[in-house]
């Protein structure tokens, strides 16, 4: 048992899309905004403490989403990463959502969640690098 514990990496972050910060994570949001400045990307502050980065998708992904989720071809689907900050007694909880937003001809857009263990690990590592503690 001691051998197994000794060989396990102790600094590997928990793969999660949420983290707790003692202080408001301004550097995290500044980095998020700067990283969302490439071609086809748009940064937007949606609410008081809600930040989004939207990105146009490659043609094959766009076609797949339109066909499989009855999208409206005149309003193309986009990839969305949303960070939400919530003040709590321990500081600030940050939650990330990643989804494809598929506009419909009528009614609200369909939000297709993006599930990815690789993305979850990357978010956990980012939170940790910015001074947060990944949470479940």
């Amino acid at each position: 048992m001691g051998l197994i514990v000794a060989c396990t990496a102790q600094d590997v972050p928990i793969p999660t899309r949420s983290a707790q910060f003692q202080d408001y994570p301004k550097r995290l949001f500044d980095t998020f905004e700067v990283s969302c400045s490439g071609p086809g990307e748009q940064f937007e502050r949606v609410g008081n403490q809600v930040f989004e980065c939207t990105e146009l998708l490659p043609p094959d992904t766009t076609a797949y989403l339109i066909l499989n989720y009855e999208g409206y071809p005149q309003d193309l689907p986009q990839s969305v990463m949303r960070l939400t900050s919530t003040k709590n007694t321990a500081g600030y909880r940050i939650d990330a959502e990643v989804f494809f937003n598929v506009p419909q001809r009528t009614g609200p857009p369909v939000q297709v969640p993006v599930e990815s263990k690789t993305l979850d690990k990357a978010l956990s590592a980012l939170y940790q690098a910015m001074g947060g503690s990944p949470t479940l």
Side-chain angles (χ1 to χ4, degrees):
M1 182 65 116
L3 181 60
I4 293 173
V5 172
C7 294
T8 304
Q10 300 298 317
D11 60 349
V12 176
I14 303 165
T16 179
R17 294 190 181 178
S18 300
Q20 183 67 41
F21 290 79
Q22 285 185 330
D23 299 311
Y24 184 76
K26 182 177 179 348
R27 191 169 66 121
L28 173 69
F29 292 121
D30 289 346
T31 301
F32 183 57
E33 182 175 2
V34 168
S35 71
C36 184
S37 60
E41 294 180 325
Q42 181 179 345
F43 177 82
E44 185 178 0
R45 187 175 185 155
V46 178
N48 187 28
Q49 293 301 320
V50 181
F51 307 87
E52 282 186 356
C53 180
T54 57
E55 182 178 7
L56 295 173
L57 299 164
D60 56 338
T61 306
T62 298
Y64 174 85
L65 290 168
I66 289 171
L67 292 172
N68 287 285
Y69 294 95
E70 300 177 10
Y72 184 57
Q74 274 58 27
D75 194 1
L76 299 178
Q78 294 183 328
S79 169
V80 178
M81 177 177 260
R82 178 183 295 153
L83 293 181
T84 303
S85 171
T86 307
K87 178 113 174 83
N88 59 26
T89 57
Y92 293 87
R93 178 184 169 103
I94 307 302
D95 296 295
E97 295 176 78
V98 183
F99 57 91
F100 296 121
N101 195 54
V102 185
Q104 305 293 292
R105 182 178 297 272
T106 59
V110 173
Q111 293 182 348
V112 182
V114 174
E115 299 297 327
S116 168
K117 290 184 188 291
T118 302
L119 176 63
D120 294 349
K121 287 178 185 177
L123 280 168
S124 293
L126 174 65
Y127 290 149
Q128 207 167 37
M130 295 289 170
S133 300
T135 61
L136 296 176

